[in-house]
Amino acid sequence: MKFRSGEGYGLLRRSARWLLIGCGAIIAVWVAAILLFAFLPVPFSAVMVERQVGAWLHGDGGYVAHSRWVAMDNIAPSMALAVIAAEDQKFPWHWGFDLEAIQAAAAHNQRSERIRGASTLSQQTAKNLLLWEGRSYFRKGLEAGLTLAMETVWTKRRILTVYLNVAEFGRGTFGVEAAAQRYFHKPAARLTPSEAALLAAVLPNPLHFRAEAPSRYVQMRQQWILRQMRQMGGDQFLRENHLQ
């Protein structure tokens, strides 16, 4: 079937209009989520949904994404300190991005085939909560915008709370409460510094590193995180930066 020029132009305009409507709807959902989750518990994240749907599509009926929201008051201070020590030691002071780390990662990636990331806890929270997995520039651009929005609306304590509740700690295990129950059979409030450091040690690749059977590398990383926690000042670091 052939379209006359006017019909083709009309179809193009309608397609563009629906595309704009779709984009506007997605942006509205993101804005609403950032505003609501500034104080409401997060029931699930985009990564949880992506993992669950992916399992269903691959016929893995046994996969279930487990998570259980807990407030910061019900998370051991050592867990909050461990993820900061492991992932983003400048977290209390930056506005969502660690420019020095980004520059260092860019220089490393030019020299090596092994890609190094430089995402802050804020960026990881934005990605885990509202976006999909991937390394495209388009997704990173969306992540940057959402990170700035979160940093503007949320407190640092809130960002850290949401991160600890949506981070992936293993197959089907999301959030520190689910991780504490699965690996240590206790609530997140009772995690020891050693247990917290072990959970933080698997965060770079929770589907490869295993908290229940830590490799030599994970054990070494756990010990490094514990040393960093002590050097940062322990719980006092959290209190001084209003994170506890």
Side-chain angles (χ1 to χ4, degrees):
M1 179 182 294
K2 294 183 178 179
F3 291 98
R4 293 191 295 271
S5 60
E7 293 175 341
Y9 180 69
L11 179 62
L12 183 62
R13 288 188 61 184
R14 288 193 295 273
S15 298
R17 183 168 64 250
W18 282 111
L19 178 62
L20 289 174
I21 291 173
C23 291
I26 293 172
I27 292 172
V29 169
W30 283 339
V31 170
I34 289 172
L35 293 175
L36 290 174
F37 294 148
F39 55 91
L40 291 179
V42 176
F44 56 85
S45 70
V47 171
M48 292 181 204
V49 173
E50 182 179 2
R51 293 277 192 263
Q52 187 66 69
V53 172
W56 288 338
L57 292 177
H58 286 87
D60 186 359
Y63 180 94
V64 178
H66 294 281
S67 68
R68 186 186 303 174
W69 175 272
V70 285
M72 183 63 81
D73 292 339
N74 294 320
I75 299 174
S78 58
M79 189 67 236
L81 186 64
V83 296
I84 295 173
E87 299 288 299
D88 185 5
Q89 294 190 15
K90 297 179 182 177
F91 174 69
W93 308 294
H94 63 59
W95 278 85
F97 309 95
D98 185 342
L99 297 182
E100 291 183 2
I102 292 173
Q103 292 172 352
H108 173 272
N109 296 339
Q110 288 179 345
R111 301 189 305 267
S112 173
E113 294 182 357
R114 186 175 181 180
I115 302 300
R116 177 191 295 176
S119 294
T120 62
L121 289 179
S122 303
Q123 289 174 271
Q124 293 179 51
T125 303
K127 184 264 291 182
N128 290 339
L129 181 61
L130 299 172
L131 296 172
W132 62 92
E133 294 281 274
R135 292 184 176 275
S136 69
Y137 288 113
F138 176 68
R139 191 197 65 78
K140 291 297 289 185
L142 293 176
E143 177 187 295
L146 292 170
T147 297
L148 287 173
M150 284 184 179
E151 284 276 353
T152 300
V153 176
W154 295 2
T155 64
K156 287 289 188 176
R157 189 174 190 270
R158 184 60 180 180
I159 293 173
L160 184 58
T161 301
V162 173
Y163 174 83
L164 288 169
N165 276 281
V166 301
E168 188 174 20
F169 288 96
R171 175 179 160 81
T173 304
F174 294 88
V176 65
E177 181 67 19
Q181 294 288 353
R182 174 180 174 181
Y183 300 124
F184 307 114
H185 310 291
K186 62 171 67 172
R190 291 172 47 206
L191 287 171
T192 66
S194 180
E195 292 165 344
L198 179 59
L199 290 180
V202 307
L203 286 174
N205 192 341
L207 300 183
H208 176 70
F209 302 134
R210 298 173 58 190
E212 71 273 30
S215 64
R216 178 60 180 162
Y217 170 79
V218 170
Q219 292 174 345
M220 292 174 61
R221 181 168 166 79
Q222 176 193 26
Q223 294 305 311
W224 177 84
I225 292 170
L226 283 168
R227 290 194 297 271
Q228 295 299 305
M229 291 164 66
R230 290 191 292 269
Q231 292 175 12
M232 290 166 63
D235 293 358
Q236 184 177 352
F237 176 90
L238 300 175
R239 291 191 294 270
E240 290 177 350
N241 293 288
H242 310 289
L243 296 172
Q244 191 174 357

